[in-house]
Amino acid sequence: LERLRAFHTTVSSLRAFEEAVGESLRARDLEGLLHLSIGGEAVVVGVTSQLEADDLVYSSHRPHGHFLAAGADPRAVAAELAGRETGLCRGRGGSLHLMSDRAVMATGIVGGTLPLAVGHALRQPEGSVVVVFFGDGAVQTGTFHESMNLAALWRVPVLFVCENNGVAEFSTRDEHTTVEKVTDYGHLYGLPASEVDGGDVEAVARTVASLLPAIRNGHGPALLEAHVTRLRPHYEGDWREREEHVDFLVGLEARLVELGASADELATRRAADLEAARSLFRSVLHEDPLPDPADDRSLVFARPLP
Ligand SMILES: Cc1ncc(C[n+]2csc(CCOP(=O)(O)OP(=O)(O)O)c2C)c(N)n1
Ligand SMILES: [Mg+2]
């Protein structure tokens, strides 16, 4: 019960953060292209629950959960989304270009972080791993294949985590590939590949726990294909709303109640997390300064221009 309750606590805080992002965007307090990972939190939480201090995370274009779960300061993430000087990238990057220490970077380039994660993993201390999250659309990029190939050949300590929601923007998987399963590529490149229900946080954690020891021991990379349900449109504000889908969080809470948690306690937590996330954004939007454009040149060039 306690283990599942701890998973629920993290899932609830990630969900609340992104609900507050969506609300702030609709209120026009935030701008730009924002991709939410609502519905995919169990993968993020299950995977990151198995990481150790030296392990690193590379993210995608749905990065908020990856960063928060890897320990980035929620206020600095919120401030980056709001374009404030106090943000992770001093307000210059926004959602698609988050950067921090443990969660190294997000990217708007689909498949873009895959080779970077492999390169970074070559420089990791022995026994630690780099996890890279990407979508099923990224699997059709050249960088996915280059990264899998080289990582397998050189036994690079990377865990490839495909968050497979069955769509790339608006194309379903069968519209852009004849390859049925992402794990098929694991078999092709000769590395361990597992498939998991990405709505089952315990199964994700268990599967990752089974893949990590070999990676840590120098036997090379592994691939995890986690099936997730996208509960929001591709990006916030897109008119192509998703049809109603089952939210894994409902099942997770039902399971917790079965194990002895009280439904009230869970609902209270969810409500408190949402209020805390709303108040975080309110506070950032009211208090945190916008960047001074005069600083921009000093940030773009390694050596400031005279
Ligand atoms: C190299 C590149 N090609 C195309 C795009 C446009 N694009 C943005 S998100 C996206 C879909 C990615 O799908 P997937 O990897 O499955 O992630 P999901 O959005 O489903 O989480 C595409 C094609 C891009 N950003 N970068
Ligand atoms: Mg997808």
Side-chain angles (χ1 to χ4, degrees):
L1 171 66
E2 287 321 310
R3 187 173 148 83
L4 202 58
R5 203 197 292 269
F7 283 145
H8 178 267
T9 301
T10 318
V11 166
S12 168
S13 66
L14 301 189
R15 173 72 55 101
F17 185 93
E18 289 209 307
E19 280 176 355
V21 172
E23 288 177 2
S24 307
L25 190 79
R26 287 188 286 282
R28 298 190 180 274
D29 287 331
L30 295 180
E31 293 176 49
L33 194 57
L34 289 160
H35 306 83
L36 301 186
S37 58
I38 290 179
E41 298 95 335
V43 179
V44 182
V45 173
V47 171
T48 51
S49 72
Q50 301 305 306
L51 299 185
E52 290 174 10
D54 280 340
D55 297 339
L56 298 174
V57 169
Y58 271 79
S59 181
S60 63
H61 61 287
R62 272 183 214 288
H64 313 139
H66 304 151
F67 274 72
L68 297 172
D73 173 15
R75 187 174 183 105
V77 178
E80 189 57 40
L81 300 189
R84 305 299 157 126
E85 181 67 31
T86 46
L88 284 178
C89 295
R90 297 181 56 184
R92 272 77 172 182
S95 170
L96 288 170
H97 304 103
L98 298 179
M99 287 193 177
S100 69
D101 302 322
R102 189 143 177 260
V104 185
M105 63 178 284
T107 181
I109 309 296
V110 167
T113 41
L114 285 153
L116 301 176
V118 173
H120 203 152
L122 285 169
R123 305 292 296 177
Q124 276 290 81
E126 218 175 292
S128 64
V129 302
V130 177
V131 174
V132 56
F133 291 99
F134 54 96
D136 47 307
V139 172
Q140 271 60 254
T141 63
T143 50
F144 171 79
H145 297 278
E146 293 173 33
S147 303
M148 292 279 283
N149 184 55
L150 209 64
L153 186 68
W154 290 351
R155 300 190 185 207
V156 184
V158 177
L159 177 63
F160 294 97
V161 179
C162 180
E163 298 171 309
N164 184 353
N165 56 17
V167 268
E169 281 193 320
F170 317 106
S171 317
T172 55
R173 204 168 147 70
D174 58 3
E175 287 174 313
H176 60 85
T177 182
T178 56
V179 179
E180 198 191 329
K181 288 180 179 297
V182 176
T183 47
D184 290 342
Y185 293 109
H187 307 315
L188 181 65
Y189 288 107
L191 49 97
S194 299
E195 215 179 335
V196 73
D197 171 3
D200 183 341
V201 59
E202 288 185 297
V204 174
R206 251 195 329 271
T207 311
V208 170
S210 75
L211 294 170
L212 283 178
I215 308 178
R216 294 193 191 286
N217 291 329
H219 298 293
L223 171 65
L224 178 68
E225 176 180 9
H227 295 280
V228 301
T229 300
R230 191 169 85 188
L231 293 175
R232 299 291 308 149
H234 173 61
Y235 62 89
E236 284 309 285
D238 181 31
W239 56 271
R240 284 160 282 209
E241 287 285 335
R242 303 287 291 164
E243 295 152 28
E244 272 313 301
H245 279 300
V246 179
D247 181 358
F248 80 91
L249 191 41
V250 175
L252 172 56
E253 293 187 341
R255 177 84 188 117
L256 273 163
V257 170
E258 239 172 64
L259 291 172
S262 98
D264 278 355
E265 162 214 322
L266 301 176
T268 305
R269 167 169 299 286
R270 294 275 303 280
D273 282 347
L274 183 56
E275 208 26 69
R278 285 172 173 157
S279 116
L280 173 68
F281 276 93
R282 269 198 304 273
S283 157
V284 164
L285 289 160
H286 285 125
E287 289 164 26
D288 290 23
L290 289 163
D292 181 350
D295 293 341
D296 287 352
R297 280 176 150 212
S298 70
L299 297 172
V300 171
F301 297 98
R303 259 181 304 142
L305 290 181

